[in-house]
Amino acid sequence: MKLLFVASECAPFIKTGGLADVIGAVPKALAAEGAQVRVLLPAYPALADQLAAGTEVLRLDTLFGGPARVVAVTAKGIDLLLLDAPHLFDRPGNIYLDSSGADWHDNHHRFAALSFVGAQIATGALSGWAPDVVNAHDWQAALVPLYLRVAGSDVPTVMTIHNIAFQGVFPSATLATLDLPDFAWRQDVGEFWGKFSFLKCGLMLADRISTVSPTYAGELMSPDFGMGLDGVMRVRRDVLSGIVNGIDLDVWNPETDPAIPQTFTSRTLRKKAVNTAALRERFGLEDSGGPLFCVVSRLTTQKGLDMLLEVLPALIEQGAQLALLGSGDKGMEHAYADAARRHAGQVGAIIGYDEDLSHLMQAGADAILIPSRFEPCGLTQLYALRYGTVPVVARTGGLADTVVDANLAAIDTGCGTGVQFTPVTALALEQAIARACALFGRKDLWSGLQKRGMKQPVGWNASALAYLSLFKGLKNN
Ligand code: ADP
């Protein structure tokens, strides 16, 4: 089974969120099952070393305004195909946003180019290698099925939705510059309320659609979660499936993690306290005797962190503390920095993106707060489970699928791993925090939650098999 993944991020090379973690981990998990995956990725500046070490396998005289080539290289165990198009991807800063925080003015060209080259490779542009199935990830790769259709190719495609909030919707005039056929503009293809939607195009034309948890797959068909594409999802429900994300167990392993001061296992859980002390020190927090909650997140309303600001006084009143690592919405960044000043010693906030610190937070915190209004899968609760950090989560999407609420029945039967709450309101969040604090006070119950979480299978094994069976079904057709 030969697979081409087309994506805009891949950890550890370039990452803005969970998409990168998934693209960095699934190929290895699929390789363990005998599949060969190549990942087509833009050659951003962060990939300069890999680009220099690779071999040119394709040259295009012109690709949306400049010359381009594809360079093959294997790095960190991943077979990368780097799309080297300096006029589109060789620029500083965020891969999607310019220095003012606005989308790059030519994002439609940049990611149409990625999709176009993905389709070229699928139809045999590389000598000696072509995929059996193409898996396009998120809107940045969503024009692959369209370009394949244009090329008259029947190479099967899977469109994977990592977050339907990001759709790649552009003004209709955009279409004229993308070299697309008229049918792309049809209402049952890419037209979206008078504009053109990359993601809708992919969802309408792909042979299969997958998303990153079963609960999110169901939610996507409802107006509350479909973000305007719920009708499309209902039309295509027969080809839609939800496969929960796993995590890279080599990177996120409390027994070997080089980024934390003290490694530990479920048997040596007491050693976690060394990390907790280090985390408190890093955030300038005193030891209150209460639980230390953490947040590692983009700061957006999706993540419900505006609600957490509202309930901070109640959290502190319970004797609990908060350490937050995040960046994103400027208003929220200021609000958390301000909260840390006002509640110094009880609340700490580091505004920024810091991969190593995110490991210390998972290793040191007692619990992690994830009050998301929607969460396609969520990875931070999976890391938390593995590090004996109890997840306190909104009951939505992948959070609902991966955390078992420690209600009375779950405690009696010994199967709880965290705290879930619904509806997703500030009040319910406050009550969930209170419940977590009460559980924390019962050391026997708390360590039961931690140990069960640590034993939960959060790797890729089961999900890699599910993806493989999806791909095999298409290949056999
Ligand atoms: P999303 O993809 O919606 O941002 P996920 O939970 O699926 O949410 O994945 C987020 C990923 O980004 C996780 O690996 C998390 O550890 C990481 N992350 C988010 N914010 C930060 C930050 N400020 N510093 C370091 N890592 C972060």
Side-chain angles (χ1 to χ4, degrees):
M1 170 68 71
K2 286 177 288 176
L3 300 163
L4 176 66
F5 277 27
V6 183
S8 57
E9 303 183 25
C10 177
F13 312 107
I14 184 81
K15 167 170 166 177
T16 72
L19 167 67
D21 292 290
V22 175
I23 303 301
V26 184
K28 286 184 263 180
L30 288 171
E33 302 300 334
Q36 187 202 15
V37 185
R38 300 181 93 175
V39 179
L40 177 66
L41 186 71
Y44 308 109
L47 284 132
D49 290 350
Q50 288 74 22
L51 196 61
T55 310
E56 183 179 300
V57 290
L58 181 66
R59 183 175 274 274
L60 296 104
D61 291 338
T62 175
L63 178 70
F64 293 99
R69 59 191 191 125
V70 175
V71 169
V73 64
T74 301
K76 307 263 184 200
I78 305 172
D79 288 333
L80 296 171
L81 293 168
L82 299 177
L83 175 54
D84 182 27
H87 61 296
L88 300 174
F89 300 116
D90 186 9
R91 48 185 84 166
N94 187 287
I95 55 176
Y96 306 124
L97 309 174
D98 65 22
S99 56
S100 75
D103 289 344
W104 287 109
H105 66 281
D106 56 350
N107 271 353
H108 55 296
H109 281 157
R110 300 170 77 220
F111 296 110
L114 179 69
S115 300
F116 176 80
V117 173
Q120 293 275 302
I121 293 171
T123 51
L126 301 189
S127 117
W129 192 87
D132 298 308
V133 179
V134 186
N135 191 179
H137 295 269
D138 273 353
W139 76 264
Q140 294 90 349
L143 294 191
V144 172
L146 177 66
Y147 284 121
L148 283 174
R149 193 69 68 93
V150 172
S153 161
D154 58 2
V155 176
T157 52
V158 176
M159 180 76 236
T160 299
I161 305 168
H162 295 262
N163 189 340
I164 207 161
F166 304 108
Q167 301 183 354
V169 176
F170 298 96
S172 56
T174 307
L175 204 58
T177 65
L178 290 182
D179 221 2
L180 295 175
D182 287 345
F183 87 89
W185 185 242
R186 277 185 358 209
Q187 211 176 14
D188 61 351
V189 184
E191 192 274 342
F192 188 66
W193 303 105
K195 296 186 172 178
F196 183 72
S197 164
F198 277 42
L199 185 60
K200 181 179 172 192
C201 210
L203 295 174
M204 292 306 295
L205 297 181
D207 296 292
R208 297 280 186 281
I209 300 170
S210 74
T211 189
V212 291
S213 70
T215 293
Y216 193 56
E219 288 172 344
L220 285 175
M221 290 182 277
S222 76
D224 284 349
F225 291 91
M227 307 253 170
L229 288 173
D230 45 294
V232 170
M233 301 311 295
R234 288 194 296 275
V235 166
R236 304 234 61 209
R237 68 186 311 151
D238 291 348
V239 299
L240 170 65
S241 56
I243 302 173
V244 76
N245 283 337
I247 63 173
D248 189 330
L249 298 177
D250 296 333
V251 176
W252 294 94
N253 183 353
E255 297 183 31
T256 56
D257 194 331
I260 62 177
Q262 176 64 61
T263 54
F264 61 100
T265 68
S266 59
R267 283 179 310 283
T268 58
L269 195 50
R270 21 179 196 83
K271 292 191 189 170
K272 184 175 158 79
V274 176
N275 300 313
T276 310
L279 185 57
R280 280 205 165 91
E281 194 182 324
R282 183 79 181 263
F283 281 82
L285 305 176
E286 299 137 18
D287 188 353
S288 63
L292 172 56
F293 289 96
C294 79
V295 168
V296 181
S297 184
R298 291 185 289 122
L299 301 181
T300 65
T301 48
Q302 174 198 334
K303 301 292 182 180
L305 295 169
D306 48 322
M307 290 183 283
L308 179 57
L309 277 168
E310 273 181 59
V311 307
L312 265 187
L315 181 147
I316 296 164
E317 211 164 285
Q318 306 261 350
Q321 299 178 323
L322 175 73
L324 172 137
L325 168 64
S327 61
D329 179 276
K330 294 294 164 216
M332 256 191 254
E333 288 184 354
H334 288 133
Y336 275 105
D338 185 50
R341 268 190 299 276
R342 278 185 293 117
H343 305 289
Q346 307 308 320
V347 173
I350 293 181
I351 304 303
Y353 191 95
D354 186 333
E355 194 74 31
D356 280 351
L357 179 55
S358 75
H359 284 244
L360 174 62
M361 308 213 31
Q362 294 286 4
D366 295 304
I368 188 166
L369 289 170
I370 314 177
S372 305
R373 291 189 167 86
F374 64 95
E375 193 58 77
C377 178
L379 294 174
T380 52
Q381 82 281 10
L382 301 179
Y383 305 146
L385 287 167
R386 189 120 206 266
Y387 282 70
T389 298
V390 173
V392 178
V393 304
R395 184 175 301 151
T396 184
L399 300 173
D401 292 334
T402 56
V403 175
V404 182
D405 183 55
N407 53 37
L408 277 181
I411 289 171
D412 278 351
T413 48
C415 63
T417 58
V419 174
Q420 286 192 350
F421 65 93
T422 188
V424 187
T425 59
L427 178 61
L429 170 60
E430 185 179 328
Q431 290 165 344
I433 290 170
R435 211 145 68 80
C437 289
L439 285 164
F440 182 80
R442 293 278 308 273
K443 292 298 168 208
D444 51 333
L445 290 182
W446 189 260
S447 68
L449 291 185
Q450 292 177 294
K451 285 180 182 160
R452 262 193 303 282
M454 291 183 83
K455 288 183 193 134
Q456 191 142 310
V458 289
W460 271 105
N461 293 3
S463 297
L465 290 176
Y467 271 110
L468 207 52
S469 113
L470 180 68
F471 297 138
K472 277 187 179 155
L474 278 170
K475 186 185 173 192
N476 296 341
N477 277 348

